[in-house]
Amino acid sequence: MTPSRSCKKVSNLTVEPIRKQKDIRSISRLIKSNPRNHLLFILGINNGLRMIDLVRIKYHQVEGLKPGAVIKIVESKTGKTNVLVINKSVHKGLQLYIKEVNPDPDDYLFKSRKGNGHISSQSVGRLIRSWCSAINLKGQYGSHSLRKT
């Protein structure tokens, strides 16, 4: 009889930030046609929040906010209160998204295509890897890359 192997997946993969301004602009241009993904990218690089906290934001939390506004968010990992700042680029992305999508107040900003939930952090990681691959960016990238950028 062979010893059973642990099925637990252990990942010590560290991801890196998108360091160059030209790469950030390239990704932004690449995803400009998809308002949800563009807003996700803009929010991710402009605020140091974890992806799980970003994807849980609902439309009513950001509805009608102007540049300079702040949203208080309780971090899921630490339980601490953190802030999400609405700067000019985030505000512009929000306006484009709202115009295109017209969400209900209780909708998640980053809705999943499956059901009424939000997009998962794993899906965001796949998106970011695909964007980096599309602009031929070498290295390890994932959902945490936006927080580090």
Side-chain angles (χ1 to χ4, degrees):
M1 191 164 150
T2 60
S4 65
R5 292 185 188 182
S6 174
C7 293
K8 200 173 196 180
K9 187 176 180 182
V10 178
S11 176
N12 289 333
L13 180 69
T14 57
V15 295
E16 43 193 289
I18 303 165
R19 290 185 171 87
K20 295 181 181 172
Q21 194 71 31
K22 73 174 184 72
D23 294 333
I24 293 170
R25 283 192 297 271
S26 295
I27 291 173
S28 185
R29 279 192 303 272
L30 175 73
I31 61 176
K32 192 86 166 175
S33 62
N34 186 322
R36 182 197 72 174
N37 291 351
H38 192 256
L39 179 60
L40 182 68
F41 181 71
I42 297 297
L43 265 174
I45 64 173
N46 283 291
N47 292 283
L49 295 173
R50 286 182 180 84
M51 195 49 61
I52 192 64
D53 297 325
L54 273 181
V55 298
R56 289 182 175 165
I57 297 172
K58 294 201 172 187
Y59 173 63
H60 69 83
Q61 292 176 273
V62 296
E63 187 176 16
L65 293 179
K66 304 279 185 240
V70 173
I71 303 168
K72 292 187 178 186
I73 294 177
V74 177
E75 291 183 350
S76 58
K77 183 176 179 180
T78 63
K80 294 179 182 175
T81 302
N82 203 338
V83 294
L84 175 113
V85 179
I86 306 296
N87 63 19
K88 287 180 183 178
S89 59
V90 170
H91 184 260
K92 186 178 176 183
L94 265 171
Q95 296 308 307
L96 291 172
Y97 174 79
I98 292 166
K99 184 178 174 185
E100 181 83 20
V101 177
N102 196 19
D104 290 331
D106 283 336
D107 282 350
Y108 286 104
L109 267 185
F110 307 108
K111 282 177 68 168
S112 172
R113 290 185 294 172
K114 301 173 185 173
N116 294 327
H118 57 76
I119 189 171
S120 70
S121 293
Q122 291 83 6
S123 295
V124 173
R126 280 192 295 273
L127 281 171
I128 293 166
R129 282 188 291 280
S130 72
W131 303 336
C132 292
S133 175
I135 66 163
N136 293 320
L137 199 55
K138 304 293 183 228
Q140 295 290 330
Y141 299 96
S143 62
H144 210 65
S145 294
L146 297 186
R147 184 178 187 200
K148 292 179 170 187
T149 297

